[in-house]
Amino acid sequence: MKIETRQEEIIRVAAKLFKEKGYSAVTMRDLAKAMGIKAASLYNHIKSKQDILKTIIISLAEEFTEGMLQIQASNENCIGKLNRIIELHVKISNQNIYGMASLNNDWMHLEEKLEYYQQLRDDYENDFRKILETGIASGEIINIKPEVMMFSILTTLRSLYLWIPKKEDINLDELSHSLSQILIKGINK
Amino acid sequence: MKIETRQEEIIRVAAKLFKEKGYSAVTMRDLAKAMGIKAASLYNHIKSKQDILKTIIISLAEEFTEGMLQIQASNENCIGKLNRIIELHVKISNQNIYGMASLNNDWMHLEEKLEYYQQLRDDYENDFRKILETGIASGEIINIKPEVMMFSILTTLRSLYLWIPKKEDINLDELSHSLSQILIKGINK
DNA sequence: GTCTATATGGAGATAGAC
DNA sequence: GTCTATCTCCATATAGAC
């Protein structure tokens, strides 16, 4: 277990506060209080409030991009790839519950990195859509509008951060499996 | 078509801004600018910023509660009730896209009405869960953890506001039908 | 019903002592 | 690495003229 730097601690605590109230409603004074120091002291470790948000969101977005690249490169079939996507979301969401809230709800408050984030998200969705379309073309999944399918699956996966913390004894493999049944059996011929 | 009062117009425009940036990031000056007046003038029509949020969220939450009561009182079977719930979400989301964003993302910024909102939401989820449990008990739907099922269906329905505006030529019946296929066929024996 | 002017408080961030 | 003190700006909201 790597020792957490003070900067990492600030980012971790900030993400927790951002999940509860959203980026805009959390003040540097709130964050300092949660850290047990004064607001001015935060600036010895971080550049700005915006920089905290950027770090939280971009690292997560890049993790998803990386995961999607590996899934694309695999030679599984369409359903196999969808299962890998489910596992990817379960894994990342469980590792960073608080950060996922910012990724989902506070991305619009990014400043310089906004366009970069949007590009990553658009690419991710396009890759996802392509997997569904391939599955439809090959007859592997039913022929319902891929947009509606993607919307349904992706919004469920994107909301995992809200739901995982409520389960006391979470078994990640079991959760992935249940989600797979519910999300995929419905579109599997 | 009822004529919109100035107060209703403010609430409608506020909801639109809240959807884009969230309640906390929208200032009364932003809202005034969008209305073409000065911030101070808003207070001739509304009591406070908080009051705008309360109006948006509570009216929607009560609409869902009312809808759920009717569905419960109907004598449809479990799948029929689930389809009615899908239609309820599609209808309300389509009627009030902007308000749905506040309901989903800004409820935690409610002040006096926070507990009331939480009660309505908890009741709604309990009613939903009961429908699923009844369906499992009667063998109408598959026996997967009802929590995961509810989570999956409800988060999809709650995110409709993000997705409906992207479809130019939206046919509500068709959308409800597609969602029904995707969300229910997966849990239908 | 809208305006200008203003009250009051709190935001993000920096300087410089310890 | 943390503190106190402070800068500057902007937030919600009110008072009172037109």
Side-chain angles (χ1 to χ4, degrees), chain A residues 4-16 31 34-36 46:
Chain A
E4 190 183 45
T5 68
R6 202 87 169 110
Q7 187 186 73
E8 286 164 347
E9 189 186 357
I10 289 172
I11 290 166
R12 177 173 56 79
V13 173
K16 183 167 184 173
L31 177 53
M35 292 285 301
I46 52 97

Side-chain angles (χ1 to χ4, degrees), chain B residues 6 38 41 44-45:
Chain B
R6 200 89 169 109
K38 296 290 175 183
S41 306
N44 260 288
H45 307 283

